[in-house]
Structure formats: C-alpha cells, structure tokens
Amino acid sequence: GMKNSESIIVTLNNIISRRAGIDIVNEGLINDEFFGPKINMTPRDLMLALYDIESALEVRIDDEFILSGGFSSLFNIYNYLISE
C-alpha cells in the first residue's frame, strides 16, 4: 500500500532535490516545473529521478501521465501518487 502522505513528500523531495541540486520544498518550489528557470533540471536527471521514485516507493508511474506532461512538478507527482 501507499505510505502516508508526509513520507511521500519527503521521499519525493529527497530524490528530486538530489538530482536537481536544489532543495525543492525548502526553496518553496513544489509547484515549479522541473525544466523551468528556477529548478532547471536536465531531461536526463529527471529520467533518473523517475526511476529512483519508482524504486523507492515501489510504484510504477504510468507512461500516459508522463507523456501528457504530468511528471512536471513535485506537487503534480505527489497528487498522482496519492490518487493511485
């Protein structure tokens, strides 16, 4: 089953922040796009973060969600995960 929501946020933040080189929650960027000017991740880093998230949370993030642009901010991913 899915872990509680606070631990999901912490896990997402740890993984994505490590790949992005910026603490997304601390910097108040949970709604900012990963490719936007403030976070400015590379596609490669985002792809690696995706694999890290799937592995750490033991989930499979749907290709449709990714291809439709859903995998674009920490808040979007969080909402996707808690609604699964």
Side-chain angles (χ1 to χ4, degrees):
M2 200 25 90
K3 300 181 184 71
N4 74 63
S5 55
E6 195 180 337
S7 74
I8 294 172
I9 287 279
V10 170
T11 301
L12 289 176
N13 190 54
N14 287 344
I15 290 170
I16 298 166
S17 294
R18 185 167 40 110
R19 295 288 183 190
I22 181 173
D23 188 325
I24 291 171
V25 169
N26 244 9
E27 298 288 332
L29 302 174
I30 66 164
N31 285 303
D32 284 72
E33 301 221 332
F34 298 134
F35 296 147
K38 292 182 180 168
I39 301 176
N40 200 23
M41 282 181 90
T42 65
R44 179 179 182 273
D45 281 338
L46 188 57
M47 192 181 70
L48 293 171
L50 167 67
Y51 295 141
D52 291 344
I53 290 164
E54 289 185 326
S55 163
L57 293 176
E58 300 176 328
V59 294
R60 172 86 174 72
I61 294 174
D62 188 62
D63 292 337
E64 272 304 301
F65 174 72
I66 297 165
L67 293 171
S68 69
F71 198 78
S72 59
S73 72
L74 197 152
F75 193 65
N76 274 7
I77 299 169
Y78 169 76
N79 278 334
Y80 168 82
L81 290 172
I82 61 168
S83 69
E84 281 304 283

